[in-house]
């Protein structure tokens, strides 16, 4: 969380930084700021979105060829002008931005206060900055040296960019646990939390590693470790087009990303799923098939929407591979001293590949001898890099804060994985294997069918936009989809929503049912169909309003429901890939009806790089 951008070169830094911050706003958007070096340091910052900063800077002196900028997701200190980054040190000689959390900031702050330092903000960032300044003064050393000494004392996660009046031609950066990419141009460098602000200027990038410090000048990039040893930068070519991070005619990224799903699922399956040849080719699995198939158990670790994909995978892997699976919230798993044995397989699911809780959970499981398999969207991200093996979802950059296309990408990868493992293990017949491959292969076309006409969903959104609560119910493979539907609605429209297993509803949520409560059933034709029909009757008997996601042509549910959304018929194991789509659209349209900022819902951030 928090987006950071830096520029050094011939261009005016301010427009490059502001454009970059807009691309990174999905990471946080409660305040924004820039620091420009032009002789001295000029700092402009404002509570609110990047657009508020732009308005605030109209008419101000924005000249400078070196600059750093920040869009914030508050951790220490409420969103406000004074807590916005960049911060200036007590002398005014250093300006810094930071993504992450300094855990031992209180102790360091006390030491600095005792020495007479004063603080304008409540942030841990300002503490680290003045700590660096104090070291620099006491040791009469360079900023770089002071930073290195400071970081040895710091506990926590950071990606920081520093500019200084003492270093007229440099941005100094460091990272541990929060991402940093450096774009290499001709006589210029770009620094950012991810590649999206860089892509239109250069495709040559270096991903900075943990515990590295980068000294970035117009024509020079030096990487060092905390022991002051020079590291060789590994230059990579970005495989991303500018169009992928623009709205492409859609009003919002979320809508664009929902509509991209036929294509992104197709991209995910392409070259891997080969039903005609009866083969699934995934090198991350092929190279480790024995480890995966013989795992005594599999633990899936994830957060948010990715955790819901993990629940679907649990059902699939247990059914197809007969391996016990547990699905864990990464934030719980990392702290509760879980039993992890050598040979256990941990599947980490993450769109961003940077979620702090998931990262740390993996690191500790890895230390205990587990085999780590990453299902990640962001190529080259931290989770992808620390995994022993993995499979990318190839969904392309996801900008809308609420995850949509990354989720269907995750389901596609996990389905192929379960199928491949089950077939190798001999726990599914070849008929079922081929049938499921064909069903999975039909998904992109069926997604297109759902997206062809969304009028019915828009009408339902208009009808229920003023609801105060929503209940989402599902059984079997559709239970995690009920959870995901509720999460999407909460995130996007701020309507309170709960997801529940449909049968479990009798043990609590049924008490909420009255004639004003919309109850959404994910009730496609599957093994549990008759059971869920009974659950619908139970809601109707209590006058709840029933909205169903049903299989095309289901007239029984049409009669029973107040409103209905259809998805094409498909095997129940693959059904989540389709049944989630109307729920994504419903949340989107309800959010729009309620005037919500659907791409940037309040308080959320796309990439949660703090615990
Ligand atoms: C945040 C995002 C969610 C996402 C979750 C996990 O909460 O807003 O959309 O599902 O993080 O992120 P990851 O990148 O690890 O999938």
């Amino acid at each position: 969380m928090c987006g950071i951008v830096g520029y050094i070169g011939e261009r005016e830094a301010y427009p490059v930084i502001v454009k970059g911050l807009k691309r990174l706003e999905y990471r946080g958007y409660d305040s924004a700021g820039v620091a420009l070096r032009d002789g001295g340091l000029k700092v402009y910052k404002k509570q609110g979105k990047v657009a508020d900063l732009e308005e605030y800077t109209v008419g101000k002196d924005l000249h400078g060829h070196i600059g750093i900028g920040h869009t914030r997701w508050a951790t220490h200190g409420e969103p406000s002008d004074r807590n916005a980054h960049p911060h200036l040190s007590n002398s005014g000689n250093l300006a810094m931005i930071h993504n992450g959390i300094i855990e031992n900031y209180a102790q360091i702050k006390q030491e600095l206060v005792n020495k007479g330092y004063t603080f304008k903000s409540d942030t841990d960032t300002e503490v680290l900055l003045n700590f660096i300044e104090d070291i620099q003064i006491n040791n009469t050393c360079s900023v770089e040296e002071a930073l290195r000494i400071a970081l040895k004392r710091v506990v926590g996660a950071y990606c920081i960019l520093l500019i200084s009046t003492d270093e007229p031609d440099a941005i100094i950066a460091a990272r541990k646990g929060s991402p940093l990419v450096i774009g290499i141009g001709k006589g210029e460098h770009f620094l950012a939390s991810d590649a999206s602000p860089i892509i239109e200027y250069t495709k040559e990038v270096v991903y900075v590693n943990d515990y590295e410090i980068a000294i970035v000048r117009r024509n020079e990039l030096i990487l060092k470790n905390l022991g002051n040893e020079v590291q060789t930068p590994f230059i990579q070519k970005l495989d991303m087009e500018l169009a992928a991070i623009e709205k492409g005619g859609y009003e919002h990224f979320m809508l664009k990303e929902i509509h991209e799903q036929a294509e992104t699922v197709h991209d995910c399956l392409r070259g891997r799923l080969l039903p005609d040849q009866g083969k699934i080719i995934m090198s991350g699995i092929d190279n480790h098939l024995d480890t995966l198939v013989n795992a005594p158990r599999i633990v899936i670790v994830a957060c948010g929407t990715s955790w819901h994909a993990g629940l679907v995978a649990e059902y699939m892997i247990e059914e197809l591979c007969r391996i016990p699976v547990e699905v864990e919230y990464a934030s719980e798993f990392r702290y509760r001293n879980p039993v992890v044995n050598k040979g256990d397989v941990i599947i980490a699911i993450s769109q961003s590949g940077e979620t702090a809780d998931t990262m740390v959970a993996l690191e500790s499981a890895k230390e205990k001898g587990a085999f780590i398999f990453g299902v990640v969207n962001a190529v080259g991200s931290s989770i992808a890099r620390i995994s022993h093996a993995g499979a990318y979802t190839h969904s392309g950059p996801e900008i809308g804060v609420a995850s949509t296309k990354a989720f269907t990408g995750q389901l596609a990868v996990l389905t192929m994985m379960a199928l491949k493992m089950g077939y190798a293990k001999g726990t599914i017949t070849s008929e079922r294997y081929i049938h499921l491959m064909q069903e999975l292969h039909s998904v992109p076309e069926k997604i297109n069918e759902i997206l062809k006409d969304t009028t019915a969903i828009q009408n339902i959104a208009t009808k229920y936009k003023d609801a105060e609560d929503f209940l989402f119910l599902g059984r079997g493979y559709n239970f995690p989809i009920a959870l995901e539907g509720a999460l999407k609605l909460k995130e996007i429209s701020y309507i309170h929503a709960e997801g529940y297993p449909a049968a479990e509803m009798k043990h609590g949520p049924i008490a909420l049912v009255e004639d004003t409560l919309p109850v959404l059933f994910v009730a496609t034709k599957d093994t549990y169909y008759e059971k869920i029909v009974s659950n619908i009757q139970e809601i109707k008997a209590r006058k709840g309003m029933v909205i169903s996601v049903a299989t095309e042509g289901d007239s029984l549910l049409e009669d029973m429901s107040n409103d209905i959304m259809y998805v094409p018929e498909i095997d129940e194991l693959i059904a989540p890939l389709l049944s989630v789509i109307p729920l994504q659209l419903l949340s989107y349209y309800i959010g729009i009806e309620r005037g919500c900022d659907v791409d940037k819902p309040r308080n959320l951030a796309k990439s949660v790089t703090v615990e």
Side-chain angles (χ1 to χ4, degrees):
M1 29 224 348
C2 298
I4 66 174
V5 181
Y7 175 75
I8 181 163
E10 283 302 313
R11 301 169 203 252
E12 285 292 336
Y14 180 81
V16 175
I17 290 171
V18 164
K19 200 172 192 190
L21 289 180
K22 285 188 173 162
R23 295 240 159 91
L24 290 179
E25 244 184 333
Y26 71 86
R27 302 178 68 88
Y29 33 80
D30 61 50
S31 47
V34 292
L36 302 165
R37 182 156 184 345
D38 176 31
L41 296 174
K42 293 174 282 196
V43 173
Y44 304 107
K45 50 191 192 169
K46 203 73 203 138
Q47 183 180 350
K49 300 198 167 136
V50 179
D52 297 303
L53 173 71
E54 280 188 292
E55 206 174 293
Y56 172 68
T57 53
V58 171
K60 299 225 164 32
D61 172 14
L62 299 172
H63 181 61
H65 300 283
I66 302 177
I68 55 178
H70 188 265
T71 176
R72 180 170 185 246
W73 188 88
T75 55
H76 289 67
E78 59 173 13
S80 64
D81 292 353
R82 68 187 184 89
N83 284 331
H85 301 212
H87 293 284
L88 274 176
S89 62
N90 271 203
S91 71
N93 289 341
L94 298 175
M96 189 170 99
I97 53 177
H98 168 218
N99 169 21
I101 291 186
I102 306 303
E103 289 170 17
N104 55 342
Y105 84 102
Q107 194 192 343
I108 299 174
K109 185 171 186 176
Q110 193 53 55
E111 291 169 17
L112 293 170
V113 168
N114 294 346
K115 289 182 173 182
Y117 280 84
T118 56
F119 294 89
K120 295 192 186 70
S121 76
D122 309 317
T123 64
D124 50 348
T125 307
E126 197 187 5
V127 174
L128 174 57
L129 176 62
N130 282 304
F131 185 43
I132 296 166
E133 175 155 291
D134 189 53
I135 293 170
Q136 197 190 358
I137 293 167
N138 290 336
N139 297 295
T140 45
C141 61
S142 65
V143 187
E144 177 200 329
E145 183 57 25
L147 173 64
R148 191 172 4 262
I149 296 169
L151 293 182
K152 286 185 183 156
R153 173 89 201 271
V154 156
V155 179
Y158 52 79
C159 170
I160 57 178
L161 301 190
L162 254 174
I163 51 175
S164 154
T165 49
D166 296 346
E167 290 273 357
D169 184 30
I171 298 175
I172 299 181
R175 107 155 231 181
K176 185 207 150 199
S178 297
L180 175 62
V181 192
I182 302 179
I184 304 168
K186 289 201 172 67
E188 59 184 353
H189 283 104
F190 305 83
L191 301 92
S193 304
D194 73 31
S196 58
I198 296 175
I199 185 81
E200 67 186 279
Y201 307 106
T202 175
K203 290 208 166 177
E204 294 209 328
V205 294
V206 171
Y207 288 91
V208 177
N209 292 312
D210 277 350
Y211 302 108
E212 282 181 348
I213 292 180
I215 301 99
V216 188
R217 303 200 167 89
R218 288 174 194 226
N219 289 302
E220 187 179 44
L221 164 62
I222 302 170
L223 280 186
K224 291 185 181 175
N225 62 17
L226 290 188
N228 202 21
E229 292 158 339
V230 174
Q231 310 291 301
T232 310
F234 174 50
I235 300 174
Q236 300 189 40
K237 262 224 146 24
L238 283 177
D239 179 21
M240 190 201 278
E241 294 306 324
L242 191 57
I245 53 168
E246 294 188 327
K247 284 189 198 149
Y250 285 93
E251 209 174 323
H252 297 99
F253 281 111
M254 184 179 177
L255 190 62
K256 176 190 175 217
E257 287 159 5
I258 292 172
H259 278 269
E260 275 174 351
Q261 288 177 103
E263 198 182 322
T264 52
V265 171
H266 182 259
D267 287 346
C268 177
L269 304 178
R270 193 178 34 209
R272 291 168 159 174
L273 182 80
L274 307 168
D276 297 345
Q277 300 172 36
K279 263 197 219 155
I280 295 172
I281 301 172
M282 295 172 90
S283 58
I285 298 178
D286 289 319
N287 298 339
H288 303 277
L289 201 55
D290 283 351
T291 310
L292 292 166
V293 164
N294 296 317
R297 67 167 185 154
I298 292 176
V299 183
I300 299 178
V301 176
C303 304
T305 289
S306 300
W307 186 79
H308 294 154
L311 287 181
V312 178
E314 175 189 18
Y315 284 35
M316 291 191 300
I317 296 172
E318 291 210 342
E319 180 180 336
L320 300 179
C321 313
R322 310 308 300 155
I323 300 173
V325 180
E326 290 153 45
V327 188
E328 296 264 3
Y329 286 115
S331 54
E332 288 298 314
F333 185 75
R334 64 179 285 195
Y335 283 118
R336 68 170 183 77
N337 194 15
V339 176
V340 178
N341 296 316
K342 206 165 184 302
D344 284 350
V345 167
I346 309 280
I347 302 180
I349 309 175
S350 176
Q351 187 287 125
S352 62
E354 301 292 348
T355 302
D357 283 324
T358 311
M359 274 284 292
V360 182
L362 292 189
E363 278 164 356
S364 70
K366 199 174 176 184
E367 272 167 28
K368 290 178 182 160
F371 179 82
I372 313 292
F373 191 92
V375 176
V376 171
N377 189 36
V379 176
S381 56
S382 302
I383 293 174
R385 286 191 285 159
I386 71 160
S387 299
H388 292 113
Y392 283 117
T393 53
H394 295 309
S395 311
E398 191 180 63
I399 314 280
V401 166
S403 188
T404 52
K405 64 175 181 171
F407 179 68
T408 43
Q410 290 164 349
L411 293 183
V413 163
L414 292 161
T415 312
M416 287 191 283
M417 189 172 177
L419 277 171
K420 197 169 166 57
M421 286 165 57
Y423 190 58
K425 199 168 177 207
T427 38
I428 46 171
T429 61
S430 39
E431 290 75 35
R432 180 124 175 89
Y433 175 64
I434 298 288
H435 167 72
L436 286 171
M437 279 211 280
Q438 284 162 343
E439 290 287 84
L440 184 56
H441 196 252
S442 73
V443 165
E445 194 189 316
K446 290 179 177 168
I447 291 179
N448 264 338
E449 272 178 54
I450 303 171
L451 294 171
K452 212 163 45 196
D453 183 3
T454 60
T455 328
I457 301 174
Q458 291 185 51
N459 291 340
I460 297 174
T462 310
K463 184 167 165 189
Y464 294 95
K465 70 175 192 320
D466 295 321
E468 285 181 6
D469 303 281
F470 245 88
L471 195 55
F472 286 73
L473 302 174
R475 299 181 81 121
Y477 284 102
N478 279 328
F479 156 56
I481 300 307
L483 296 185
E484 175 61 7
L487 176 64
K488 276 301 77 96
L489 190 67
K490 265 185 282 212
E491 288 180 305
I492 298 305
S493 72
Y494 315 144
I495 294 177
H496 167 248
E498 279 194 55
Y500 246 77
E504 189 66 17
M505 167 266 292
K506 289 197 279 296
H507 302 286
I510 199 162
L512 304 173
V513 178
E514 53 184 346
D515 59 4
T516 53
L517 182 78
V519 184
L520 192 146
F521 281 91
V522 191
T524 50
K525 288 260 172 75
D526 57 19
T527 318
Y528 317 92
Y529 178 72
E530 278 160 21
K531 304 266 177 223
I532 207 160
V533 167
S534 307
N535 298 138
I536 294 176
Q537 297 288 16
E538 288 157 5
I539 296 294
K540 281 180 70 73
R542 287 159 184 85
K543 304 205 167 11
M545 292 184 284
V546 171
I547 309 167
S548 299
V549 173
T551 305
E552 205 80 66
D554 186 338
S555 51
L556 175 66
L557 277 197
E558 186 165 6
D559 292 345
M560 289 174 68
S561 310
N562 298 64
D563 291 283
I564 194 154
M565 299 177 273
Y566 287 112
V567 294
E569 190 170 358
I570 200 153
D571 189 285
E572 67 184 40
L573 193 136
I574 316 285
L577 275 148
L578 301 185
S579 46
V580 74
I581 311 262
L583 303 189
Q584 296 170 343
L585 284 164
L586 184 67
S587 302
Y588 172 80
Y589 285 116
I590 292 182
I592 295 294
E593 290 270 356
R594 290 165 70 94
C596 300
D597 187 346
V598 292
D599 279 342
K600 299 187 201 98
R602 70 181 177 215
N603 301 337
L604 294 174
K606 181 135 196 84
S607 188
V608 181
T609 54
V610 295
E611 53 176 277

